Amino acid sequence: MGLGFFRAEVRAGGGILPIQNAKVIVQNRHNIVFHELTTDESGNTRTVEIDAPNIEHTLNPNDTGPFYTQVDVIIEHPNFNTVIVRGVQIFDKETSILPVNMTPKSLLRTVQPTTQEFVIPEDILHSSEERLQETSEGINPRLLREVFIPETITVHLGRPDAPARNVTVPFVDYIKNVASSEIYPTWPLAALEANIYCQISFALNRIYTEWYRVRGHNFDITNSTQFDQFFVEGRNIFQNISVIVDRIFNQYIRRQGRREPFFAQYCNGTTSTCAGLSQWGTVPLANAGRNPLQILRNFYPNDIEIVTSNVIQGITESYPGTPLREGDTRREVQTMQFYLNRIRQNFPLIPRIQNVNGTFGSDTVAAVRTFQQIFDLPQDGIIGRATWNSISRLYSSVKRLSDLQSEGELIGIGRTPPTTIIRQGTSSPLVSTLQLILNFIGEFYSEIPPVNQDGNFNAQTTNAVLAFQALFGLTTDGIVGPNTWNRLYQVYWNIEDIITETPTTPPITPPVVPPVTPPTVPPNTPPYPGTLLRVGSSGESVRVIQNHLNAISSQFPSIPRLSVDGAFGPITQSAVMAFQRQFGLVPDGIIGPITWAKIMEVFSGLNQTPQPPSPPQATMPPYPGYLIREGQRSEDVRTLQTHLNVVSASHPQIPRLATDGIFGPNTRRAVIEFQRIFGLTQDAIVGPLTWNRLMQESANLGGGISIISALSTMLIGRMFLGR
């Protein structure tokens, strides 16, 4: 008998919002409980041991098994629908990871069950089902284009012409799922990599040739092993496979002199044979010392090669080619520092990098190691290809999810739905609102496809509206009228309220300056380009902004000078945010029509006698975006302690605290006492209600002026976080 390992990762929003305090029950097929686990701040359980058959059973194709242990896992949380996964596989010496994406309870229609159940079938390495994978060799793609790595792939859960659901999942997660379903994680490394190269190439070939799309289907690939690859919705993956995929997901097989990904047909090679790769046949070749390319050339033509695509949707920077490590000073280090600080908002266990300056110091090492620990990567504190790709992908996801909040004040998102009817062909800021909300909801419901947030109601937006209407029981006409607007806002705010554990009424917030009318762009200045400029944007409009900000910085030194390169990176974002703070705009680091017009207005007035900037005024720090509770260590906890001390001067029942950034028992008592005094729920958890009320009371007592020096470090850090 051997020993395997298990851990659950419980998230919401497609994997980018960790769910803390979820209950995870691991039991055998006879309902005997092995472990009862609880998720931490990152949504992860601790790793536990489970007996498994000896590894030797999985290395011999003639062995009759058993090959792995199967357990059932039940995941529960009071705010989310229960998930049950049956048949989770545990292999000797390997760590099985169960990624769980939970859905808030109040969002499912009443005709749908409140418990979501997945069943992982037996493995197919001993199946005799014949592979009928239709080759696309010699087929010209409908559109001649470069090979790219898609952000997502749509999988049909059945044979091509069978009625079945489609699911859209991140491409990387798709490959991890297929690899965990098709092969054993106990195989030698070279065998695993050779098989994964085949799976990547097979999927990319289907996408590149639009094999199913040109035949009128609305999916990219099926999960039928007869026609495509084995994808199992809701299944567990294996840690070693996950690490391999993170490293090579953008590498694929092609024939020399050809552009398209090679159609890498394969089968198990024992009970099912084909003209391509034998999955079992890769094991002895790897044991004989063959590398992945040599293994592949044993089954495919000798002119195949492994190439890398640098066109990766959703990732704004490509891997620089060499690992980043402690002591390095370069632009790519600053990019990763910026990304990690933004990801930290969702995963607060990652320590904040205080100085985002492009120097890879000890704080960056600590942040990288914690990120690697959370996301199942080797914890070496070095940003190699796998860590770079994982950070970039997650940054893209969390940034997209936060777009609604970061744009909220600019485009007018509130609690009251619009009443204007919009449909395909409309172009307006209201369409941008629609697209932002659809993308936010789509993070929780994969049935809703992502849309470009460009303010144009095109066919892509219509398809997303139709999917939303079908999912939530509305008339499926693709038109957004009062009923659809009301349901969009109801679903959005239900998600917001549940994941932040706030009531459905708006929280108490400090007074804010009402929205201002966009200033008129002065004559003889460049007009607003019509699209938002943000990190990742490039072109002449970005170059114009960089030139103008440099000119403005000569009179307003708080705005840093920029390289005029037409690339909107983290440094340009920090300059934009500094400008926005200087002139009373929402400091979101994004250039919309209001910020553009203000930059043009200030630039045009530079030849006039400049008005000296107003002396800095104390501002209350905004809610950091996650629940603060006992056990956490962060600058946000230090801010909390500082303001509690201000309020305690007038309310001595609140104990004085050491401002050490550690949420310990004393801080817990102070929070509970504050909540009791001001009529809040006494749960010792600082959510938006408690935070905003504390800031309001502190400001009323003059705390904003007395704590400026204590908050300076935090405010500098947030300049880079885009809050």
Side-chain angles (χ1 to χ4, degrees):
M1 181 63 69
L3 192 66
F5 307 93
F6 170 82
R7 179 174 74 254
E9 297 179 350
V10 184
R11 314 271 164 79
I16 58 180
L17 290 175
I19 300 178
Q20 188 175 14
N21 294 327
K23 182 180 180 181
V24 179
I25 302 170
V26 184
Q27 60 188 35
N28 67 10
R29 310 311 298 274
H30 304 290
N31 299 328
I32 297 175
V33 174
F34 291 160
H35 300 281
E36 287 192 7
L37 308 171
T38 302
T39 57
D40 61 18
E41 287 178 273
S42 298
N44 297 346
T45 67
R46 62 186 176 90
T47 300
V48 295
E49 299 176 345
I50 298 175
D51 289 339
N54 191 280
I55 189 174
E56 298 301 324
H57 292 293
T58 65
L59 302 177
N60 182 356
N62 299 316
D63 199 299
T64 57
F67 306 101
Y68 47 80
T69 296
Q70 289 183 293
V71 297
D72 295 342
V73 182
I74 304 168
I75 304 95
E76 300 173 334
H77 189 282
N79 288 347
F80 294 84
N81 293 285
T82 298
V83 177
I84 300 175
V85 184
R86 303 194 184 278
V88 172
Q89 299 164 354
I90 309 296
F91 283 83
D92 184 19
K93 296 180 174 57
E94 301 298 338
T95 299
S96 176
I97 300 169
L98 182 62
V100 180
N101 190 51
M102 302 191 82
T103 306
K105 274 185 176 176
S106 65
L107 298 182
L108 293 179
R109 291 178 289 167
T110 56
V111 297
Q112 294 177 306
T114 57
T115 297
Q116 192 173 18
E117 185 168 334
F118 300 99
V119 178
I120 301 174
E122 297 287 339
D123 71 90
I124 62 168
L125 278 174
H126 301 273
S127 169
S128 59
E129 182 177 61
E130 184 181 3
R131 296 259 189 180
L132 301 175
Q133 298 165 333
E134 297 179 85
T135 180
S136 45
E137 284 289 302
I139 300 295
N140 290 324
R142 182 173 60 176
L143 298 174
L144 188 62
R145 59 183 186 273
E146 291 295 327
V147 177
F148 68 93
I149 308 300
E151 186 173 1
T152 60
I153 184 171
T154 300
V155 186
H156 184 67
L157 301 179
R159 294 165 60 92
D161 294 315
R165 287 192 307 116
N166 294 341
V167 294
T168 300
V169 297
F171 182 77
V172 174
D173 293 347
Y174 167 80
I175 296 298
K176 291 179 181 179
N177 185 300
V178 168
S180 298
S181 302
E182 291 265 10
I183 53 182
Y184 287 157
T186 52
W187 287 0
L189 177 61
L192 293 175
E193 290 185 355
N195 279 275
I196 291 170
Y197 279 127
C198 290
Q199 293 154 3
I200 295 170
S201 300
F202 189 100
L204 291 180
N205 184 278
R206 287 292 196 230
I207 291 170
Y208 182 80
T209 61
E210 298 180 317
W211 181 256
Y212 289 108
R213 300 281 183 180
V214 297
R215 288 161 174 75
H217 296 294
N218 60 344
F219 51 83
D220 301 306
I221 201 166
T222 75
N223 77 337
S224 167
T225 56
Q226 282 191 290
F227 298 92
D228 294 298
Q229 306 187 125
F230 198 27
F231 173 88
V232 180
E233 185 182 20
R235 72 153 297 136
N236 63 292
I237 62 173
F238 301 103
Q239 184 173 20
N240 62 333
I241 286 177
S242 176
V243 170
I244 294 171
V245 175
D246 281 328
R247 177 166 48 84
I248 69 171
F249 77 95
N250 61 328
Q251 301 175 36
Y252 61 94
I253 311 166
R254 74 176 180 193
R255 299 190 71 172
Q256 294 175 12
R258 303 286 292 271
R259 172 181 295 177
E260 71 275 9
F262 181 68
F263 186 77
Q265 188 179 17
Y266 61 87
C267 52
N268 66 31
T270 54
T271 56
S272 175
T273 58
C274 61
L277 176 137
S278 162
Q279 293 170 309
W280 275 112
T282 62
V283 176
L285 292 173
N287 286 331
R290 303 281 187 91
N291 64 36
L293 182 58
Q294 291 169 331
I295 293 173
L296 293 170
R297 285 178 174 170
N298 189 77
F299 300 102
Y300 300 130
N302 281 330
D303 66 346
I304 65 167
E305 58 185 356
I306 297 173
V307 296
T308 300
S309 172
N310 287 321
V311 185
I312 306 173
Q313 291 185 354
I315 298 179
T316 57
E317 301 276 353
S318 61
Y319 179 61
T322 57
L324 308 178
R325 62 184 74 230
E326 189 169 9
D328 286 350
T329 300
R330 50 202 290 197
R331 181 182 62 83
E332 291 85 358
V333 172
Q334 187 176 44
T335 298
M336 289 292 101
Q337 291 171 327
F338 175 82
Y339 285 8
L340 285 166
N341 272 351
R342 175 58 190 88
I343 293 168
R344 180 186 175 277
Q345 294 183 42
N346 292 54
F347 294 87
L349 285 181
I350 298 173
R352 177 179 286 141
I353 300 170
Q354 298 292 347
N355 194 3
V356 181
N357 59 1
T359 298
F360 203 127
S362 58
D363 57 345
T364 304
V365 173
V368 171
R369 281 191 175 136
T370 305
F371 178 91
Q372 291 169 327
Q373 178 186 13
I374 293 171
F375 294 100
D376 312 311
L377 296 161
Q379 298 168 41
D380 56 11
I382 298 171
I383 303 178
R385 184 182 295 276
T387 300
W388 176 284
N389 289 340
S390 294
I391 292 173
S392 297
R393 286 198 313 274
L394 192 64
Y395 169 77
S396 174
S397 297
V398 299
K399 193 70 175 70
R400 181 174 61 250
L401 185 61
S402 70
D403 275 347
L404 191 57
Q405 287 82 359
S406 66
E407 295 297 321
E409 292 186 55
L410 177 63
I411 63 178
I413 293 172
R415 290 275 178 170
T416 304
T419 57
T420 304
I421 298 175
I422 58 176
R423 64 187 77 206
Q424 189 164 335
T426 305
S427 295
S428 72
L430 200 56
V431 178
S432 294
T433 304
L434 168 68
Q435 292 166 331
L436 287 165
I437 295 175
L438 285 170
N439 279 345
F440 181 91
I441 297 172
E443 293 292 344
F444 295 83
Y445 292 96
S446 62
E447 295 88 344
I448 301 173
V451 297
N452 295 327
Q453 299 169 9
D454 56 7
N456 298 314
F457 201 135
N458 50 23
Q460 182 191 55
T461 303
T462 298
N463 289 336
V465 170
L466 288 168
F468 174 85
Q469 291 172 328
L471 186 63
F472 291 98
L474 300 168
T475 302
T476 52
D477 55 9
I479 299 171
V480 182
N483 288 339
T484 299
W485 276 123
N486 288 337
R487 193 69 170 128
L488 282 164
Y489 269 62
Q490 178 189 7
V491 172
Y492 167 71
W493 282 112
N494 278 345
I495 294 174
E496 271 291 298
D497 292 339
I498 288 172
I499 64 177
T500 58
E501 299 185 16
T502 60
T504 55
T505 56
I508 300 172
T509 57
V512 297
V513 178
V516 296
T517 303
T520 303
V521 177
N524 303 320
T525 58
Y528 176 61
T531 58
L532 299 176
L533 302 179
R534 63 179 82 202
V535 171
S537 300
S538 61
E540 188 57 34
S541 295
V542 176
R543 193 182 302 276
V544 168
I545 287 298
Q546 291 169 330
N547 270 315
H548 282 51
L549 287 174
N550 280 345
I552 294 169
S553 73
S554 64
Q555 294 188 10
F556 297 91
S558 63
I559 301 170
R561 290 191 62 81
L562 302 170
S563 297
V564 182
D565 56 5
F568 200 128
I571 298 177
T572 300
Q573 183 188 49
S574 65
V576 171
M577 293 170 66
F579 175 88
Q580 291 168 326
R581 288 190 183 92
Q582 183 72 52
F583 294 96
L585 303 176
V586 178
D588 57 9
I590 298 170
I591 299 178
I594 295 175
T595 300
W596 179 280
K598 189 65 177 178
I599 290 173
M600 296 303 127
E601 174 189 309
V602 175
F603 176 80
S604 297
L606 288 179
N607 291 331
Q608 303 173 11
T609 302
Q611 296 296 320
S614 302
Q617 297 182 3
T619 58
M620 291 297 104
Y623 176 59
Y626 64 93
L627 299 178
I628 303 174
R629 62 181 81 204
E630 190 169 9
Q632 293 176 348
R633 296 168 176 251
S634 69
E635 285 299 319
D636 294 317
V637 174
R638 192 188 306 276
T639 302
L640 170 70
Q641 293 166 329
T642 301
H643 285 278
L644 284 169
N645 284 343
V646 172
V647 177
S648 72
S650 295
H651 298 277
Q653 307 96 310
I654 300 173
R656 296 280 299 178
L657 302 171
T659 55
D660 55 7
I662 302 172
F663 198 131
N666 288 340
T667 303
R668 174 186 172 86
R669 285 192 292 272
V671 170
I672 290 176
E673 189 61 29
F674 176 86
Q675 292 171 326
R676 185 192 66 78
I677 293 171
F678 293 99
L680 302 169
T681 302
Q682 298 170 47
D683 56 6
I685 297 173
V686 181
L689 281 174
T690 299
W691 180 279
N692 289 330
R693 186 59 183 270
L694 175 61
M695 296 305 128
Q696 187 178 46
E697 295 300 325
S698 178
N700 292 341
L701 294 169
I705 295 173
S706 65
I707 63 169
I708 286 179
S709 59
L711 295 180
S712 60
T713 301
M714 180 205 69
L715 292 176
I716 292 171
R718 284 189 178 163
M719 181 173 70
F720 293 100
L721 289 176
R723 293 182 185 172

